Amino acid sequence: MKKFLALFVAVVMLLSVSACGQPAEETTAPPESEAPAQTGGTAETTFGIEPLPEKTTIDLAYFSGAEHGLVFYIMDEMGWAEELNIEFNWQYFSAGPAMMEASGSWDVGTAGAAGAINGIVGYDVNVIGISQYEHILGCYIREGSEIYNAGQGNVDEAPNIYGDAESLKGSTWLLPLGTTAQQTLALYLDYFGLTTDDVTMTNMDVGSALAAFRAGEGDGMILWTSTNVTAMEEGYVTACTCDDVNGVYSTCLMATDEALETKFDAVTTLFQLYFCTEDWMMENKEEMADMYYAACQVEGISCSESCAQYTAEMYEGLGLEKAIERMTTYVDDPLGLLDRQISGGEFDVLDTMDFLVSLGSYTAEDRAAVLENNRITSIVAEAVQAKLGE
């Protein structure tokens, strides 16, 4: 039984599942990746990354069912983490806010920008990289509902979305609050001159939202990743997607203060491996789909094989070169509030944060503190860049 599955079963005692890969005795060495080997390491490892001098445990905040979390699953299953002397102590989450509340118990994790902002404002969490840009996130309604009957084409800028002000006002939506799901709902409503104060938002994780919607609760639900695709497969109508609204839907690679202080070399090595694994995923979509499906089966996440294939097709990771570039190139602050330029990573996260500030979820002082305290930091990307001799 693979390491990830064994650890998952140990943590989730009530699950009874079989291994998602070959038994241990049939496991072969990791295949050679099609991603380019990196300079500054050793050819003895899959990606040419220099292993840590001794085994190091990374306490990992794993986002179940999310593509940005899948990267860790793949590097573990393929043996790439092990060959670099990295082992994971897995902790499982399905939403960013809960992950941040538990930040005292993990070193590294991934989450959407809204969840990461919760961590960099209220906890000792730092964004160290931009993992990917989300595309699989949508607002769903039932066929025949008032929102559905209002039809499409009521907004010139977004002709595919359903609804109008009359049908949406007073509606009830099921979604995880404080996340990009809430951002999407707010931007969707804004097309019709409405705000989230004009609707009822019921806070629940995406799996619970889908189950409750099936049972007849709510007028709409907002889902991401596998639950999003499941909703499409079950015939629910896509009222609006994150691609229909004006937002940067970044997901973030994060590390806690303690991890950066006590495990910096390990975090740096893991950063390099994370984005090399992304390169492999983008070049091996079929294998990614198989592993995403397997991971969902282990975690009890609703996912069909076609869902996994769709997820792989839509996946847009940065990969190592772009990930370093994003954190080490600089642009002007879009609000013009700083006397310095900001990194591309800061720009991506601030796109979501500035929206949440406009909703009153955070203050301008929170924004200033995040930048002043360097909570969206390029220190790890710069260390990898130096190691590669770029």
Side-chain angles (χ1 to χ4, degrees), residues 185-331:
L185 177 60
L187 292 172
Y188 170 37
L189 294 172
D190 186 60
Y191 278 131
F192 304 101
L194 303 176
T195 72
T196 52
D197 291 335
D198 294 308
V199 301
T200 298
M201 296 185 294
T202 302
N203 186 26
M204 56 180 69
D205 65 67
V206 291
S208 299
L210 178 58
F213 199 69
R214 286 170 177 153
E217 294 184 33
D219 300 299
M221 59 180 173
I222 306 180
L223 309 174
W224 52 50
T225 318
S226 62
T227 52
N228 180 98
V229 184
T230 298
M232 288 192 291
E233 292 179 336
E234 294 183 3
Y236 294 114
V237 178
T238 306
C240 179
T241 75
C242 63
D243 287 336
D244 292 319
V245 297
N246 185 24
V248 178
Y249 281 75
S250 59
T251 62
C252 303
L253 179 63
M254 305 166 295
T256 62
D257 282 351
E258 184 173 357
L260 292 179
E261 291 171 4
T262 64
K263 301 179 181 179
F264 185 79
D265 288 345
V267 173
T268 300
T269 299
L270 183 58
F271 179 103
Q272 191 172 353
L273 177 59
Y274 184 95
F275 290 107
C276 283
T277 302
E278 280 199 339
D279 281 321
W280 180 90
M281 290 164 64
M282 289 184 287
E283 295 170 359
N284 297 273
K285 291 295 185 79
E286 290 186 12
E287 291 89 342
M288 175 191 167
D290 291 342
M291 299 192 82
Y292 181 71
Y293 178 73
C296 287
Q297 302 314 297
V298 171
E299 300 159 39
I301 303 292
S302 176
C303 179
S304 64
E305 292 185 4
S306 60
C307 165
Q309 291 169 357
Y310 179 83
T311 300
E313 290 170 4
M314 295 291 289
Y315 181 73
E316 183 189 354
L318 271 73
L320 183 60
E321 182 178 347
K322 289 182 179 179
I324 293 174
E325 179 183 356
R326 197 68 190 142
M327 298 303 295
T328 57
T329 56
Y330 294 85
V331 296

Side-chain angles (χ1 to χ4, degrees), residues 54-67:
E54 58 185 25
K55 185 75 71 176
T56 303
T57 298
I58 296 289
D59 294 316
L60 181 67
Y62 180 81
F63 204 122
S64 298
E67 305 102 300

Side-chain angles (χ1 to χ4, degrees), residues 82-110:
E82 184 176 9
E83 71 181 8
L84 298 183
N85 271 331
I86 295 173
E87 60 182 5
F88 295 126
N89 175 28
W90 302 82
Q91 299 180 51
Y92 304 88
F93 300 92
S94 59
M99 181 186 291
M100 303 312 148
E101 289 178 10
S103 61
S105 64
W106 54 264
D107 298 315
V108 172
T110 55

Side-chain angles (χ1 to χ4, degrees), residues 175-187:
L175 70 154
L177 296 181
T179 68
T180 46
Q182 183 177 354
Q183 180 182 9
T184 304
L185 177 60
L187 292 172

Side-chain angles (χ1 to χ4, degrees), residues 18-33:
S18 59
C20 60
Q22 296 294 324
E25 61 270 22
E26 297 180 18
T27 301
T28 58
E32 287 297 321
S33 167

